Amino acid sequence: MMGQIKVLDQNMVNTIAAGEVIERPASVVKELIENSIDAGATEVNIYIEDGGKGLIRVVDNGCGMDSGDLALAFEPHATSKLKTSADLLNISTMGFRGEALASIAVVAKVSVVSRPADTMAANRIEIDCGSKDEVRPCSSDAGTTIEVRNIFYKMPARKKFLRTANTEMTHIIERFTRIALAHTDISMNLFHNDRELYRLPAGLGVRQRIGNLFSAEFAETLLELASSERNLKLTALLCRPENGRANAKFQYFFLNGRFIRDKFISAAVREAFRGLIEPDKYPVVFLFLQMPPQNFDVNVHPTKIEVRFDDSNLVYSQILALVREKLLSLDLDVQAKLPKGGQVPTQEGQDAKQSIAGAMAEFFSHSRQGIVPQRYFGFSKVAQKSDSAAVEQREHFYEKGDLQAVPSPQYLQIHDSYIIAQTEDGFLIIDQHALHERIIYEDLCRRLTCDGGAKLESQKLLVPESFELTDAGAQVLEVNKDLLQRLGIELESFGPGVWAVQSFPSLLGGVKIVEFIVDMLDVLADSVGKIDSERLLHKILNLAACKAAVKAGQKLSPAEINKLLSDKNAIERVSRCPHGRPTAIKFSLAELEKQFKRT
Ligand SMILES: Nc1ncnc2c1ncn2[C@@H]1O[C@H](COP(=O)(O)OP(=O)(O)OP(=O)(O)O)[C@@H](O)[C@H]1O
Ligand SMILES: [Mg+2]
């Protein structure tokens, strides 16, 4: 067959292009607000009806357009923002493709009223799904008002995909939020069906804007950091590790005022929080990058949500270093909150007071009366002997020679679960299991990543330990064989439905092997296809650390306590167990003195 190919008419071309840029009402809102920002507006008001399916009206006080510009603005590839091809390498505006208005105008009924600030002459133009009216004079304030009605009304196939007004509004709010976060110098207000949803005054800074968009409490707890190095300026607000969220919704990355998604940035943030935040939680991060426009390409995606960095390693490593350093500098011990003196205590306050008072009484009664059992405070031979079986069992956690007889008159184990340790300005109550778990986890991570890294050292078992495994279980093993190899776990089929452990990581010597393997298989089976291999590895390391750590209710020798506490100081990030729970609660002398009314 011949003569099948023909060039599409311009309206068809625009309609096809519109599909890329305008997906739903929220895309229109985004494009219009961005145009207002590029027009230098200091105030943008957005009025929505029926989730944007009825009406989107954006009113700005920007530079406006004269009649000539109004006639051109809706033509495809019409832009005031690029003059020469060299400008493409130096983009500092939100828009540059000259596509947005043309795309909007082919899918809806649009009307624009605009007046440049330096003239009283305002003009109006209307476009109905690509068919354009004349530009007509009218009267109006300086700036531009664009109304977009009945989106997709001539395109039933696309209209079908629009959701309820509430859902579409959620998308609009998300786009509004992204832009508002990056442009705190602009006053932005959003209304839905005549109801004011957001009123965001200009000039109050990012933290205040986050407060206005989310909540003041949320904004208050965020940590603030900044760095500037080799052309890359970074500022960030992030949550403390204990305040992570169940999804990545509160991760906002901006490059030169534009919201972007980027896998390098996400990876850097994840890595910075690794081990500090519960494995299933996501940090809250507002990250603002500034770099010269020549150092990245924004022209790789129709909605500009992705960019290509010339040096993505620099971006990755600078974000990682900044965030990591900040997190490690935090005092992650949980500060005990004692009830305020002098107030009528609430029930909650009363309970806290009583439990703290109980712990205190126990602590001081021992020390004052001098009846502290010797084995707690000194390293007595007798104690060593009586506990020797337990100690021996746990000795594999420590390098040889680590368990030294160091007198340690300032530690006390209570309920065989918590260690009370005096500090310079108060004392700590340490959860022995949580702390030990953390220490082992760190050790495992370090051996896997730093020391040449590939694989944990393992030991061949003299007598292989067998366990039952279904075919589905065997499949899970097969899928995860690389992971097992890294962990130094070697499993072999012993016959139908029976497998045996041949080798096991030396570091986990005290762990009940089969019990661990069974639990690990559960984790692996649950995780198939859900999390990436890095997260999975750390999940398994968490499990291993939990199994290998001393338990609550386990009596520790003074030497073991010493070792735990010296490791606490030595190993980074020990303030949180791998599950993100605190390992220690801190009490300050000042607080105590207040409580005992000594001050
Ligand atoms: N609110 C506004 N105030 C003043 N001028 C505007 C406004 N909106 C659009 N314009 C003018 O219309 C032109 C076309 O806008 P359009 O959004 O289609 O393209 P763009 O912003 O240049 O690029 P992009 O397609 O990447 O957004 C702009 O370049 C600008 O000159
Ligand atoms: Mg634009």
Side-chain angles (χ1 to χ4, degrees), residues 212-333:
N212 288 342
L213 283 164
F214 303 103
S215 85
E217 288 99 320
F218 175 78
E220 245 166 51
T221 58
L222 298 176
L223 309 163
E224 214 166 322
L225 38 157
S227 76
S228 181
E229 222 176 280
R230 287 207 282 149
N231 279 340
L232 174 55
K233 234 178 99 192
L234 277 178
T235 51
L237 283 100
L238 29 110
C239 69
R240 293 177 60 91
E242 64 268 30
N243 297 336
R245 295 298 178 116
N247 55 41
K249 195 174 161 315
F250 291 94
Q251 298 196 347
Y252 288 90
F253 309 142
F254 301 91
L255 173 60
N256 293 5
R258 190 193 307 283
F259 174 88
I260 57 163
R261 284 213 182 89
D262 184 81
K263 60 178 194 295
F264 293 101
I265 299 179
S266 301
V269 168
R270 191 167 57 233
E271 178 61 18
F273 272 85
R274 186 178 57 70
L276 291 172
I277 194 163
E278 293 186 41
D280 295 335
K281 290 274 169 81
Y282 295 80
V284 172
V285 184
F286 300 90
L287 188 69
F288 302 86
L289 289 82
Q290 288 286 342
M291 58 162 53
Q294 307 86 306
N295 291 2
F296 63 91
D297 186 358
V298 61
N299 193 19
V300 295
H301 191 278
T303 67
K304 315 173 184 92
I305 199 165
E306 282 169 24
V307 299
R308 196 176 296 126
F309 291 109
D310 291 352
D311 188 352
S312 39
N313 282 337
L314 171 73
V315 175
Y316 175 88
S317 58
Q318 199 170 320
I319 293 171
L320 173 59
L322 176 70
V323 176
R324 189 80 180 153
E325 193 184 320
K326 177 73 180 186
L327 293 175
L328 294 184
S329 75
L330 293 178
D331 179 358
L332 293 170
D333 286 340

Side-chain angles (χ1 to χ4, degrees), residues 21 30-41 58-66 69-70 72-82 93-104 112-114 143-146 258 302 304:
V21 183
K30 167 191 176 274
E31 294 298 338
L32 295 185
I33 305 179
E34 287 190 351
N35 280 348
S36 296
I37 292 173
D38 284 345
V58 175
V59 182
D60 71 45
N61 63 353
C63 67
M65 286 174 273
D66 62 17
D69 278 355
L70 257 192
L72 273 178
F74 292 86
E75 293 297 318
H77 317 298
T79 178
S80 58
K81 299 165 195 176
L82 291 183
T93 46
M94 308 290 287
F96 60 89
R97 298 164 60 107
E99 231 174 32
L101 290 187
S103 300
I104 294 168
V112 189
V113 171
S114 194
T144 303
T145 296
I146 303 195
R258 190 193 307 283
K304 315 173 184 92

Side-chain angles (χ1 to χ4, degrees), residues 49 107 154 162 227 295 311 396 409 420 427 473 495 561 589 594:
E49 280 172 23
V107 300
K154 283 192 181 165
L162 293 181
S227 76
N295 291 2
D311 188 352
H396 53 263
I420 299 188
F427 69 97
I561 294 179
L589 267 186
K594 224 164 56 204

Side-chain angles (χ1 to χ4, degrees), residues 503-577:
S503 313
F504 201 68
S506 339
L507 217 64
L508 303 180
V511 170
K512 291 190 183 116
I513 294 178
V514 168
E515 188 188 298
F516 172 79
I517 295 287
V518 170
D519 285 1
M520 181 187 74
L521 282 168
D522 283 346
V523 174
L524 293 178
D526 276 353
S527 308
V528 173
K530 286 197 202 133
I531 54 177
D532 60 47
S533 60
E534 194 60 21
R535 263 179 194 265
L536 187 57
L537 171 69
H538 287 286
K539 235 177 156 161
I540 301 295
L541 295 182
N542 286 341
L543 177 71
C546 180
K547 298 261 176 212
V550 295
K551 303 287 177 290
Q554 207 167 315
K555 188 152 288 185
L556 301 183
S557 74
E560 285 177 302
I561 294 179
N562 259 336
K563 177 73 175 96
L564 268 182
L565 295 176
S566 71
D567 283 352
K568 175 174 168 47
N569 294 332
I571 295 181
E572 61 164 20
R573 297 183 279 150
V574 290
S575 296
R576 306 238 142 223
C577 75

